[in-house]
Amino acid sequence: KQEVTQIPAALSVPEGENLVLNCSFTDSAIYNLQWFRQDPGKGLTSLLLIQSSQREQTSGRLNASLDKSSGRSTLYIAASQPGDSATYLCAVNSQGAQKLVFGQGTRLTINP
Amino acid sequence: ETGVTQSPTHLIKTRGQQVTLRCSSQSGHNTVSWYQQALGQGPQFIFQYYREEENGRGNFPPRFSGLQFPNYSSELNVNALELDDSALYLCASSWDSLYGYTFGSGTRLTVV
Protein backbone atom coordinates (compact mmCIF):
# COMPACT_ATOMS: atom_id res chain seq x y z
CA LYS A 1 0.00 0.00 0.00
CA GLN A 2 1.46 3.33 -1.09
CA GLU A 3 1.90 5.92 1.65
CA VAL A 4 2.98 9.50 1.03
CA THR A 5 4.42 11.80 3.67
CA GLN A 6 5.19 15.50 3.44
CA ILE A 7 7.50 17.30 5.83
CA PRO A 8 7.24 19.89 7.22
CA ALA A 9 3.48 20.28 7.74
CA ALA A 10 3.88 24.05 7.85
CA LEU A 11 6.65 26.44 6.90
CA SER A 12 6.97 30.20 7.29
CA VAL A 13 9.81 32.11 5.63
CA PRO A 14 10.59 35.73 4.71
CA GLU A 15 10.10 36.90 1.16
CA GLY A 16 13.01 36.32 -1.20
CA GLU A 17 14.28 33.11 0.37
CA ASN A 18 14.82 29.91 -1.56
CA LEU A 19 13.08 26.93 0.00
CA VAL A 20 12.62 23.19 -0.34
CA LEU A 21 9.50 21.13 0.32
CA ASN A 22 9.87 17.40 0.84
CA CYS A 23 7.75 14.43 -0.17
CA SER A 24 8.50 10.77 0.54
CA PHE A 25 6.69 7.64 -0.63
CA THR A 26 6.94 4.01 0.41
CA ASP A 27 6.55 2.08 -2.87
CA SER A 28 8.97 2.94 -5.68
CA ALA A 29 6.81 1.26 -8.36
CA ILE A 30 5.31 4.49 -9.64
CA TYR A 31 4.29 5.90 -13.01
CA ASN A 32 4.77 9.52 -12.02
CA LEU A 33 4.56 12.09 -9.24
CA GLN A 34 2.64 15.35 -9.43
CA TRP A 35 3.01 18.50 -7.35
CA PHE A 36 -0.08 20.65 -6.76
CA ARG A 37 -0.82 23.99 -5.20
CA GLN A 38 -4.02 24.60 -3.24
CA ASP A 39 -5.24 27.98 -2.07
CA PRO A 40 -7.58 28.01 0.97
CA GLY A 41 -10.95 26.44 0.15
CA LYS A 42 -10.04 26.05 -3.52
CA GLY A 43 -9.25 23.21 -5.91
CA LEU A 44 -5.85 21.90 -6.93
CA THR A 45 -3.60 23.57 -9.48
CA SER A 46 -1.01 21.31 -11.09
CA LEU A 47 2.51 22.69 -10.85
CA LEU A 48 4.79 19.95 -12.13
CA LEU A 49 4.53 16.34 -13.28
CA ILE A 50 7.59 14.09 -13.14
CA GLN A 51 7.57 10.74 -14.91
CA SER A 52 9.27 7.79 -13.19
CA SER A 53 12.05 7.87 -15.79
CA GLN A 54 12.85 11.54 -15.14
CA ARG A 55 15.07 13.09 -12.49
CA GLU A 56 13.66 16.61 -12.48
CA GLN A 57 11.24 19.08 -14.03
CA THR A 58 11.36 22.87 -14.06
CA SER A 59 8.75 25.57 -14.52
CA GLY A 60 9.78 29.15 -13.91
CA ARG A 61 10.94 29.50 -10.29
CA LEU A 62 9.90 25.93 -9.47
CA ASN A 63 12.05 22.84 -9.76
CA ALA A 64 10.92 19.37 -8.76
CA SER A 65 13.25 16.42 -8.41
CA LEU A 66 12.55 12.71 -8.13
CA ASP A 67 14.70 9.95 -6.64
CA LYS A 68 12.56 6.88 -7.15
CA SER A 69 15.00 4.45 -5.57
CA SER A 70 14.96 6.31 -2.26
CA GLY A 71 11.27 7.21 -2.48
CA ARG A 72 11.80 10.97 -2.34
CA SER A 73 10.81 14.07 -4.24
CA THR A 74 11.56 17.70 -3.51
CA LEU A 75 9.97 20.92 -4.71
CA TYR A 76 12.40 23.82 -4.83
CA ILE A 77 10.98 27.35 -4.92
CA ALA A 78 13.43 30.09 -5.80
CA ALA A 79 13.11 33.71 -4.69
CA SER A 80 9.87 33.16 -2.82
CA GLN A 81 7.08 35.77 -3.03
CA PRO A 82 4.01 36.41 -0.83
CA GLY A 83 1.85 35.10 -3.69
CA ASP A 84 3.49 31.71 -3.25
CA SER A 85 1.66 31.32 0.07
CA ALA A 86 -0.55 28.25 -0.25
CA THR A 87 -0.66 24.55 0.62
CA TYR A 88 1.55 22.37 -1.56
CA LEU A 89 0.56 18.75 -2.11
CA CYS A 90 2.46 15.93 -3.73
CA ALA A 91 0.61 12.98 -5.24
CA VAL A 92 1.95 9.64 -6.43
CA ASN A 93 0.46 7.64 -9.30
CA SER A 94 1.44 4.05 -8.54
CA GLN A 95 1.62 1.28 -11.10
CA GLY A 96 -1.67 -0.59 -11.32
CA ALA A 97 -3.38 1.60 -8.74
CA GLN A 98 -5.74 3.69 -10.91
CA LYS A 99 -5.55 6.55 -8.43
CA LEU A 100 -3.42 9.28 -6.91
CA VAL A 101 -2.19 8.93 -3.35
CA PHE A 102 -1.65 12.30 -1.70
CA GLY A 103 0.48 13.53 1.14
CA GLN A 104 -1.15 15.74 3.75
CA GLY A 105 0.49 18.83 2.32
CA THR A 106 2.85 21.57 3.45
CA ARG A 107 1.23 24.88 4.33
CA LEU A 108 3.62 27.57 3.16
CA THR A 109 3.53 31.19 4.31
CA ILE A 110 5.80 33.80 2.73
CA ASN A 111 6.11 36.91 4.90
CA PRO A 112 6.60 40.30 3.17
CA GLU B 1 -9.07 23.53 -23.27
CA THR B 2 -12.09 24.23 -21.08
CA GLY B 3 -10.69 22.77 -17.85
CA VAL B 4 -12.69 20.91 -15.23
CA THR B 5 -15.79 22.57 -13.79
CA GLN B 6 -17.76 21.45 -10.75
CA SER B 7 -21.18 22.42 -9.47
CA PRO B 8 -22.41 23.56 -7.11
CA THR B 9 -19.55 25.34 -5.36
CA HIS B 10 -21.17 25.05 -1.94
CA LEU B 11 -24.16 23.31 -0.48
CA ILE B 12 -25.62 22.45 2.89
CA LYS B 13 -27.54 19.23 3.50
CA THR B 14 -29.19 17.61 6.47
CA ARG B 15 -28.02 14.29 7.89
CA GLY B 16 -29.81 11.41 6.16
CA GLN B 17 -30.44 13.28 2.92
CA GLN B 18 -29.01 12.45 -0.49
CA VAL B 19 -26.80 14.68 -2.63
CA THR B 20 -25.58 14.76 -6.22
CA LEU B 21 -22.42 16.61 -7.18
CA ARG B 22 -21.59 17.28 -10.81
CA CYS B 23 -18.42 17.58 -12.82
CA SER B 24 -17.70 18.50 -16.41
CA SER B 25 -14.38 17.06 -17.49
CA GLN B 26 -11.90 18.55 -19.89
CA SER B 27 -12.81 17.70 -23.47
CA GLY B 28 -11.19 14.45 -24.63
CA HIS B 29 -10.51 13.19 -21.09
CA ASN B 30 -11.94 9.68 -20.82
CA THR B 31 -10.94 9.21 -17.18
CA VAL B 32 -12.61 10.95 -14.26
CA SER B 33 -11.83 10.50 -10.60
CA TRP B 34 -13.47 11.81 -7.45
CA TYR B 35 -11.68 12.67 -4.20
CA GLN B 36 -12.83 13.69 -0.73
CA GLN B 37 -10.72 16.20 1.18
CA ALA B 38 -11.39 16.77 4.86
CA LEU B 39 -10.16 19.99 6.42
CA GLY B 40 -6.40 19.98 6.87
CA GLN B 41 -5.95 16.64 5.12
CA GLY B 42 -4.82 15.47 1.71
CA PRO B 43 -7.48 14.32 -0.77
CA GLN B 44 -8.65 10.71 -0.45
CA PHE B 45 -9.57 8.67 -3.54
CA ILE B 46 -13.25 7.73 -3.80
CA PHE B 47 -13.48 6.10 -7.25
CA GLN B 48 -12.49 6.40 -10.87
CA TYR B 49 -14.41 5.95 -14.13
CA TYR B 50 -12.99 5.18 -17.54
CA ARG B 51 -15.31 5.33 -20.54
CA GLU B 52 -18.38 5.12 -18.31
CA GLU B 53 -17.20 2.08 -16.34
CA GLU B 54 -15.89 2.16 -12.76
CA ASN B 55 -12.29 0.90 -12.82
CA GLY B 56 -11.08 1.70 -9.33
CA ARG B 57 -12.56 2.36 -5.92
CA GLY B 58 -11.13 3.57 -2.64
CA ASN B 59 -12.15 2.71 0.89
CA PHE B 60 -15.60 4.32 0.76
CA PRO B 61 -18.96 2.63 1.49
CA PRO B 62 -21.47 1.76 -1.26
CA ARG B 63 -23.60 4.80 -0.42
CA PHE B 64 -20.99 6.69 -2.44
CA SER B 65 -21.76 6.02 -6.10
CA GLY B 66 -21.02 7.60 -9.41
CA LEU B 67 -21.84 7.89 -13.06
CA GLN B 68 -19.89 9.01 -16.09
CA PHE B 69 -21.64 10.12 -19.27
CA PRO B 70 -20.48 10.13 -22.91
CA ASN B 71 -20.34 13.94 -22.97
CA TYR B 72 -17.43 14.00 -20.45
CA SER B 73 -19.70 14.89 -17.54
CA SER B 74 -19.96 12.84 -14.37
CA GLU B 75 -21.80 12.70 -11.06
CA LEU B 76 -20.99 11.73 -7.51
CA ASN B 77 -23.99 10.61 -5.49
CA VAL B 78 -23.97 10.21 -1.73
CA ASN B 79 -26.93 8.62 0.06
CA ALA B 80 -27.82 8.72 3.74
CA LEU B 81 -25.51 11.64 4.46
CA GLU B 82 -23.53 11.59 7.69
CA LEU B 83 -21.89 14.48 9.52
CA ASP B 84 -18.45 13.08 8.61
CA ASP B 85 -19.28 13.46 4.93
CA SER B 86 -18.72 17.20 5.34
CA ALA B 87 -15.70 17.91 3.13
CA LEU B 88 -14.43 19.40 -0.12
CA TYR B 89 -15.19 17.05 -3.01
CA LEU B 90 -12.81 17.25 -5.93
CA CYS B 91 -13.23 15.97 -9.45
CA ALA B 92 -10.19 15.23 -11.61
CA SER B 93 -9.93 14.22 -15.24
CA SER B 94 -7.21 12.82 -17.42
CA TRP B 95 -6.68 11.71 -20.99
CA ASP B 96 -4.17 9.18 -19.67
CA SER B 97 -2.85 9.05 -16.11
CA LEU B 98 0.68 9.08 -17.52
CA TYR B 99 0.05 12.70 -18.46
CA GLY B 100 -1.27 13.73 -15.05
CA TYR B 101 -4.64 14.88 -13.80
CA THR B 102 -6.50 18.21 -14.02
CA PHE B 103 -8.61 19.09 -11.00
CA GLY B 104 -11.72 21.20 -10.65
CA SER B 105 -12.32 23.86 -8.01
CA GLY B 106 -14.33 21.50 -5.83
CA THR B 107 -17.70 21.42 -4.11
CA ARG B 108 -17.79 22.25 -0.41
CA LEU B 109 -20.42 20.01 1.23
CA THR B 110 -21.60 20.72 4.75
CA VAL B 111 -23.84 18.17 6.49
CA VAL B 112 -25.75 19.46 9.51
Side-chain angles (χ1 to χ4, degrees), chain A residues 7-14 17-22 75 77 80 84-88 105-111:
Chain A
I7 294 173
L11 181 64
S12 180
V13 301
E17 282 203 1
N18 304 323
L19 57 99
V20 174
L21 307 181
N22 297 294
L75 179 66
I77 303 177
S80 59
D84 295 330
S85 297
T87 295
Y88 290 80
T106 294
R107 188 172 70 252
L108 176 65
T109 302
I110 307 298
N111 301 303

Side-chain angles (χ1 to χ4, degrees), chain B residues 64-108:
Chain B
F64 285 78
S65 63
L67 286 171
Q68 184 186 24
F69 303 101
N71 65 351
Y72 303 113
S73 67
S74 63
E75 293 179 353
L76 164 64
N77 298 288
V78 187
N79 293 321
L81 284 167
E82 301 177 359
L83 297 179
D84 285 348
D85 296 333
S86 296
L88 181 67
Y89 289 84
L90 296 163
C91 170
S93 72
S94 175
W95 176 72
D96 184 310
S97 67
L98 290 178
Y99 300 99
Y101 289 83
T102 301
F103 279 77
S105 298
T107 293
R108 170 69 62 184

Side-chain angles (χ1 to χ4, degrees), chain A residues 6 25 30 47 56 70 74 76-77 79-80 87 107 110-111:
Chain A
Q6 290 187 248
F25 48 96
I30 67 170
L47 299 173
E56 64 178 59
S70 67
T74 63
Y76 174 83
I77 303 177
S80 59
T87 295
R107 188 172 70 252
I110 307 298
N111 301 303

Side-chain angles (χ1 to χ4, degrees), chain A residues 32 34 38 51 100 104, chain B residues 35 37 41 48 97-98 101:
Chain A
N32 51 51
Q34 201 165 355
Q38 185 174 34
Q51 301 296 345
L100 293 177
Q104 295 207 359
Chain B
Y35 290 81
Q37 186 178 25
Q41 303 294 316
Q48 177 169 286
S97 67
L98 290 178
Y101 289 83

Side-chain angles (χ1 to χ4, degrees), chain A residues 58-70:
Chain A
T58 298
S59 176
R61 295 183 293 108
L62 305 179
N63 176 278
S65 68
L66 176 64
D67 184 343
K68 196 174 62 168
S69 61
S70 67

